[in-house]
Amino acid sequence: MEKVGENVVKIFIDGIGDVYFNLQKYSTTISEEHKFIYYFDAEGRFMGGFFDGVSYRRGLDNRLMKKFFDKDGSKVKIFVGDEEKRKVIEDVIERVLKIRDALSGNEHEVLERLDEILKWDYKQLEKDGIKFFSVYKPISILPPDQYFSLVLQPAEGCSWNKCTFCSFYQDRRFRVKSPDEFLNHVKKVKEFFGRAIGLRKSIFLGDANALIIPQKRLVELIKIIHDEFPIGKSKNGFDHVFDGIYSFLDIFGAERKSYDEYVELRDLLLKRIYIGLETGDANLFKYLNKPGSPDGCVEVVQTIKSAGINVGVIILAGAGGKKFYEAHVKNTVETILKMPLGNGDIVYLSPLVLDEADEYVRIMNELGSETLDKFEMAKQIQKIKEGLKGLNKLGVRVTLYDIQEFIY
Ligand SMILES: C[S@@+](CC[C@H](N)C(=O)[O-])C[C@H]1O[C@@H](n2cnc3c(N)ncnc32)[C@H](O)[C@@H]1O
Ligand code: SF4
């Protein structure tokens, strides 16, 4: 056994070659000759891997996402079927078993990790995926910088649920949990994650617009979070600290909160609010059937920022198709530039996915607007980024938000 880096050891194993073990506090990564790489959380659950140019991510609900580049260089992201999922997971477990059997017995820390991993077989991981749904409603989407947050659901669903392009929460009714029910949910979340909770860096309030919860109840629910988790400071029983609280909010919901209420939320360590502007073009905005308006979005961002909370503003790339192409680019760039964005703010560009956007497709057909192809989409994203390039100097990140890559 050779130490080759902080927390990384290398062991030569006959029939495999050099195997690297990256023993992080809350995760273990095993790399066979840097060709087969797979990783696990602190409870030993398989989380994902890279195998010969194909990458896999296992969600806590036991779905498995596969990503690879096809012949023309496009990135493909799909959820694999049960058969392939079982094959991939069982192959990984077999590999770990083979490595475990080949070790001499002196590699104590490595052995401990492998034994933790080998507590799980495919059936148990499948069961764990079912257990996930006794704790959570499906986690439909998160902003990319929050993929490794700890999601808590003080509310379920979307209070509006009628945007023509969005189908994320159509499977559930909007409802807010009572303090007792929420505390129970939090306890179940803790139990579900176990030690793997240490991998989570922030708290994300689900679902689509949790901050719309009336302020008094919202504060009550956030105080439960502070009682139960170390946020911004350490707490007994935890050996890590969450950096803050994050949430989505729609424009209309954001307009209903006052400056003082945002200040109260900032003091409760709410760090960033993610708002879907989608487009700065008021005409196109109407066809999206979002509540509020682009000007309203500028105003709420001003209020939120002046209260000391960062924002993540989401733009729907490709919205409106060819008919709105120029207006969408021009007015979106202008609208974003009216916002007082700075360090810690993010502008996300989410390429429009039409799979379940039936109402949006119907409206665009009626208007005779064709969908952008992938080259036109890439060009539009480039143009919007170009228009916003001055923001980079201010510390604002302008980056992609691909809803098809999301898995929790
Ligand atoms: C939970 S919502 C945003 C927060 C809040 N509910 C709102 O509407 O402002 C997440 C984001 O996903 C994106 N989204 C929804 N449906 C989409 C689709 N069909 N294609 C691409 N992006 C989509 C939108 O940009 C939306 O702002
Ligand atoms: S875009 Fe936001 S407000 Fe509109 S339906 Fe989706 S989650 Fe709800």
Side-chain angles (χ1 to χ4, degrees):
M1 185 165 77
E2 184 190 342
K3 191 168 162 56
V4 289
E6 208 185 334
N7 304 314
V8 186
V9 295
K10 181 172 86 172
I11 301 175
F12 181 80
I13 293 180
D14 267 347
I16 301 178
D18 284 331
V19 181
Y20 298 81
F21 299 87
N22 189 339
L23 310 173
Q24 294 299 317
K25 197 164 175 188
Y26 300 113
S27 67
T28 304
T29 303
I30 301 174
S31 163
E32 297 177 21
E33 293 268 331
H34 302 309
K35 286 199 191 95
F36 278 83
I37 302 167
Y38 32 96
Y39 49 97
F40 307 85
D41 72 11
E43 289 286 334
R45 291 181 184 101
F46 172 59
M47 291 176 68
F50 306 93
F51 312 126
D52 271 346
V54 177
S55 92
Y56 289 98
R57 266 278 283 133
R58 179 184 166 272
L60 290 165
D61 56 6
N62 202 40
R63 285 184 307 161
L64 191 67
M65 182 183 278
K66 178 179 181 178
K67 289 194 247 175
F68 57 96
F69 288 94
D70 69 8
K71 278 191 225 108
D72 71 3
S74 307
K75 202 174 187 183
V76 181
K77 307 138 241 175
I78 46 164
F79 284 103
V80 304
D82 284 349
E83 205 176 312
E84 181 174 351
K85 178 167 64 177
R86 189 179 193 118
K87 200 162 155 281
V88 170
I89 294 178
E90 286 186 340
D91 176 57
V92 168
I93 294 170
E94 237 170 77
R95 284 171 180 277
V96 178
L97 200 57
K98 189 168 166 195
I99 293 169
R100 167 81 179 77
D101 288 345
L103 294 182
S104 66
N106 294 325
E107 310 86 345
H108 300 296
E109 204 185 339
V110 173
L111 277 167
E112 253 174 49
R113 300 285 180 118
L114 300 187
D115 287 342
E116 202 67 43
I117 292 164
L118 290 169
K119 278 185 194 155
W120 298 89
D121 60 13
Y122 181 75
K123 264 220 146 64
Q124 278 158 323
L125 286 169
E126 209 176 28
K127 262 199 196 155
D128 200 55
I130 295 168
K131 186 171 174 194
F132 175 85
F133 288 112
S134 68
V135 178
Y136 286 110
K137 279 274 185 287
I139 296 171
S140 307
I141 190 74
L142 291 176
D145 62 295
Q146 295 297 314
Y147 283 7
F148 270 91
S149 63
L150 181 74
V151 173
L152 299 173
Q153 291 173 317
E156 291 173 357
C158 170
S159 60
W160 173 248
N161 228 2
K162 289 197 274 263
C163 299
T164 53
F165 58 91
C166 176
S167 60
F168 283 134
Y169 305 100
Q170 278 171 4
D171 60 345
R172 72 203 83 159
R173 276 188 344 152
F174 179 76
R175 72 181 195 93
V176 176
K177 291 192 173 124
S178 70
D180 281 351
E181 190 188 0
F182 183 59
L183 179 60
N184 188 33
H185 166 69
V186 166
K187 300 235 186 258
K188 286 208 252 174
V189 168
K190 277 186 180 174
E191 198 258 325
F192 179 79
F193 274 89
R195 276 170 299 138
I197 214 162
L199 213 51
R200 308 284 151 172
K201 302 291 171 245
S202 56
I203 303 270
F204 193 88
L205 306 181
D207 280 329
N209 36 22
L211 298 181
I212 207 163
I213 299 172
Q215 185 80 356
K216 192 163 165 277
R217 167 71 63 88
L218 180 61
V219 168
E220 220 176 330
L221 298 179
I222 294 180
K223 283 187 175 157
I224 292 177
I225 300 175
H226 280 275
D227 287 344
E228 294 294 318
F229 296 104
I231 305 169
K233 59 177 189 295
S234 56
K235 196 184 204 80
N236 272 348
F238 290 88
D239 51 8
H240 88 299
V241 171
F242 294 95
D243 78 351
I245 301 174
Y246 298 77
S247 181
F248 282 129
L249 182 61
D250 60 87
I251 301 170
F252 184 61
E255 283 170 338
R256 294 193 344 201
K257 284 218 178 290
S258 67
Y259 168 81
D260 288 344
E261 288 175 331
Y262 285 118
V263 169
E264 188 178 23
L265 295 176
R266 179 207 61 202
D267 291 344
L268 287 165
L269 301 184
L270 180 69
K271 296 286 184 189
R272 190 182 296 118
I273 300 177
Y274 301 85
I275 303 182
L277 164 68
E278 321 304 355
T279 181
D281 185 64
N283 191 20
L284 170 59
F285 193 92
K286 282 189 221 134
Y287 294 113
L288 303 181
N289 197 31
K290 284 209 83 141
S293 65
D295 284 346
C297 191
V298 175
E299 268 177 44
V300 296
V301 168
Q302 280 162 350
T303 310
I304 292 168
K305 289 287 300 170
S306 65
I309 300 174
N310 279 123
V311 291
V313 184
I314 311 161
I315 297 168
L316 194 59
K322 294 190 183 173
K323 197 177 170 110
F324 290 91
Y325 188 102
E326 295 302 338
H328 179 43
V329 172
K330 178 175 172 289
N331 294 323
T332 299
V333 167
E334 277 179 20
T335 303
I336 295 276
L337 292 179
K338 281 186 210 157
M339 297 176 177
L341 302 182
N343 212 6
D345 297 319
I346 307 176
V347 176
Y348 278 123
L349 289 142
S350 178
L352 178 62
V353 176
L354 294 179
D355 293 356
E356 292 174 62
D358 299 352
E359 181 58 7
Y360 168 87
V361 171
R362 192 191 60 73
I363 292 169
M364 286 302 138
N365 283 343
E366 237 173 63
L367 294 172
S369 185
E370 277 176 52
T371 306
L372 305 190
D373 64 31
K374 68 176 180 187
F375 302 106
E376 290 162 330
M377 175 74 90
K379 187 134 190 244
Q380 186 175 75
I381 289 173
Q382 210 38 50
K383 274 190 157 186
I384 296 176
K385 280 188 167 174
E386 190 65 25
L388 298 178
K389 71 172 189 272
L391 292 178
N392 297 331
K393 283 194 250 75
L394 303 174
V396 181
R397 272 201 297 141
V398 180
T399 184
L400 266 194
Y401 180 156
D402 185 346
I403 62 166
Q404 290 178 312
E405 290 210 12
F406 173 68
I407 180 164
Y408 187 61

